[in-house]
Amino acid sequence: MSDLSVAAVAVERCKTELREFRIPDIPADAGLLRVVATGMCGADWPMYQNDKPGPRILGHEIVGTIERLGELAGEQWGVKVGDLVALEEYLPCGHCDYCRCGEFRSCLETDTRLPGKIRYGSTPVATAPSLWGGYSQFLYLHPRSVMHPVPPGIPSHIAAMALPIGNGFQWAYLDGKAGPGKTIVIHGPGQQGLGCVIAAKAAGAQNIILTGLSTDENRFAVGRALGAHHTVGVDKQDLLEVVSATTGGRLADIVIDCSGAGPAVTNGSIALLRKRGTLIVSSARGPIDGFDIDRIIGKQIVLRGTRGHSFEAVELAISTMAAGTFPLEKMSSHVLGLHELHDGLMMLGGQGREKSIHISVQPWKV
Ligand SMILES: [Zn+2]
Ligand SMILES: [Zn+2]
């Protein structure tokens, strides 16, 4: 193998350059991943628009095979050279309170909103050994990596959905408690919203309502194929009427806002909930004006901000993929090479000619 890795580096705002990096020496407690596919996440778009904290290799939903493995790392991770794994983006310390109770996504050592902290897909190339992102042929496997074995038979562009579908299991099932008899409203038919549809369906939810705009019809069609019972373009249809009509006036048990649409959607969610319902918000755009805390109290609503996924959620996503019970192929709209990464990121941000659902990048594709 060559001792260089080609990587697509986000060098400045909305600008990508292909660069070669020397493959680092691998210490006993680390490894090297040959990247097979990396899923493009909605979070890549704000990062691509931001030139802080300097040039970096984006891409944090990473699947690959173990290319090199330090002896200690092999014991620690329970993997061997050639194994196919899906990585989490987090590089948690392993010994703080959060890590010790399994909530390692909250570990401060991997919270890149804090200066100098690291995780895959957002750490600058100036931090040695540079290969921190999935839009690269090889990735440095830091000793604190969190990985999941990928069973045979899952195509790599599907395996690259492990984290968005894992988010779905976290938000809709583990946090939201979707299950038999429950009505769940999911705002936003992007890959996270579709992940929530999959999780709610797998959990046996009785009534899954996916919302967006009437221009989202291609995403709605995928949502229905994945198990949504109703899809509602909120610019054309009265959502409260649909929720009320489909629940016999009982209203929703759970509302998840992963639309990123801001106050109108988040505030409007309160009216959709029955008493003691749960509102989960994973995306907002700044402070929510007019947020009615009195109605939260009056209806005894549980409000939860959520971010990312637990280990269990990603395992549930991978076992769902392996079971082959959902037509996940319909979620995959584009498979791109590194040279097409800029176009893919612009499409992700709604700036391209085409519309995407899930884009995966295969760094060895020419
Ligand atoms: Zn992500
Ligand atoms: Zn920790």
Side-chain angles (χ1 to χ4, degrees):
M1 117 188 200
S2 138
D3 58 356
L4 295 173
S5 174
V6 177
V9 184
V11 286
E12 57 188 73
R13 191 175 188 281
C14 293
K15 185 159 184 247
T16 292
E17 267 176 33
L18 291 185
R19 288 189 186 169
E20 287 185 332
F21 292 86
R22 204 184 67 77
I23 288 178
D25 295 331
I26 300 301
D29 58 355
L32 184 73
L33 190 82
R34 183 185 179 91
V35 178
V36 176
T38 297
M40 212 176 259
C41 174
D44 284 349
W45 176 241
M47 285 196 270
Y48 196 43
Q49 290 175 289
N50 189 352
D51 37 20
K52 304 256 174 358
R56 51 188 171 171
I57 305 166
L58 299 175
H60 59 269
E61 302 184 345
I62 305 163
V63 175
T65 53
I66 307 278
E67 179 82 12
R68 292 184 194 169
L69 190 62
E71 199 178 325
L72 291 175
E75 281 175 26
Q76 181 87 12
W77 299 335
V79 295
K80 54 188 191 314
V81 168
D83 282 1
L84 183 66
V85 295
L87 295 181
E88 298 198 24
E89 66 269 54
Y90 315 124
L91 294 167
C93 77
H95 52 74
C96 70
D97 287 357
Y98 293 120
C99 286
R100 288 295 189 206
C101 72
E103 272 298 321
F104 57 80
R105 69 186 141 143
S106 304
C107 175
L108 300 182
E109 292 303 315
T110 195
D111 189 340
T112 40
R113 291 171 302 183
L114 305 171
K117 306 304 182 186
I118 55 172
R119 64 167 61 182
Y120 291 129
S122 51
T123 298
V125 294
T127 303
S130 304
L131 295 174
W132 298 107
Y135 303 141
S136 167
Q137 292 174 329
F138 291 100
L139 176 101
Y140 172 66
L141 288 172
H142 188 277
R144 300 188 331 227
S145 297
V146 178
M147 57 185 71
H148 300 257
V150 177
I154 304 176
S156 60
H157 62 289
I158 303 293
M161 298 174 189
L163 298 192
I165 297 176
N167 286 344
F169 275 97
Q170 184 68 46
W171 305 346
Y173 174 60
L174 295 171
D175 291 343
K177 309 270 188 294
K182 297 280 178 73
T183 289
I184 180 167
V185 176
I186 299 159
H187 291 306
Q191 50 181 295
Q192 319 287 336
L194 294 173
C196 290
V197 170
I198 292 167
K201 186 71 179 176
Q206 182 178 320
N207 185 18
I208 303 168
I209 301 170
L210 178 65
T211 86
L213 297 172
S214 52
T215 49
D216 289 320
E217 182 45 44
N218 63 332
R219 293 178 173 201
F220 283 161
V222 176
R224 290 191 295 268
L226 293 170
H229 301 91
H230 305 278
T231 51
V232 179
V234 295
D235 51 335
K236 293 268 170 71
Q237 260 181 296
D238 184 331
L239 177 60
L240 179 58
E241 225 170 78
V242 174
V243 175
S244 187
T246 58
T247 58
R250 186 176 170 272
L251 302 179
D253 301 281
I254 308 146
V255 176
I256 301 182
D257 182 8
C258 42
S259 68
V265 171
T266 312
N267 286 336
S269 297
I270 301 170
L272 305 176
L273 281 165
R274 65 188 296 244
K275 282 194 178 181
R276 302 182 69 82
T278 300
L279 172 57
I280 292 179
V281 183
S282 75
S283 60
R285 289 195 179 155
I288 301 284
D289 287 337
F291 187 72
D292 193 345
I293 195 70
D294 286 336
R295 289 184 74 205
I296 293 277
I297 295 166
K299 290 176 95 169
Q300 304 172 66
I301 284 166
V302 175
L303 171 64
R304 174 157 206 160
T306 193
R307 194 170 174 236
H309 42 260
S310 60
F311 192 87
E312 182 186 4
V314 180
E315 284 291 306
L316 286 169
I318 292 173
S319 60
T320 301
M321 290 171 172
T325 42
F326 286 89
L328 301 176
E329 196 63 49
K330 291 184 191 295
M331 268 176 79
S332 173
S333 60
H334 296 81
V335 177
L336 306 177
L338 286 182
H339 56 288
E340 300 162 298
L341 182 70
H342 169 77
D343 295 340
L345 287 165
M346 298 308 281
M347 184 159 52
L348 175 82
Q351 311 294 307
R353 279 194 306 274
E354 292 175 41
K355 283 188 167 182
S356 65
I357 300 178
H358 183 268
I359 303 170
S360 61
V361 176
Q362 298 188 345
W364 297 87
K365 180 174 182 278
V366 283

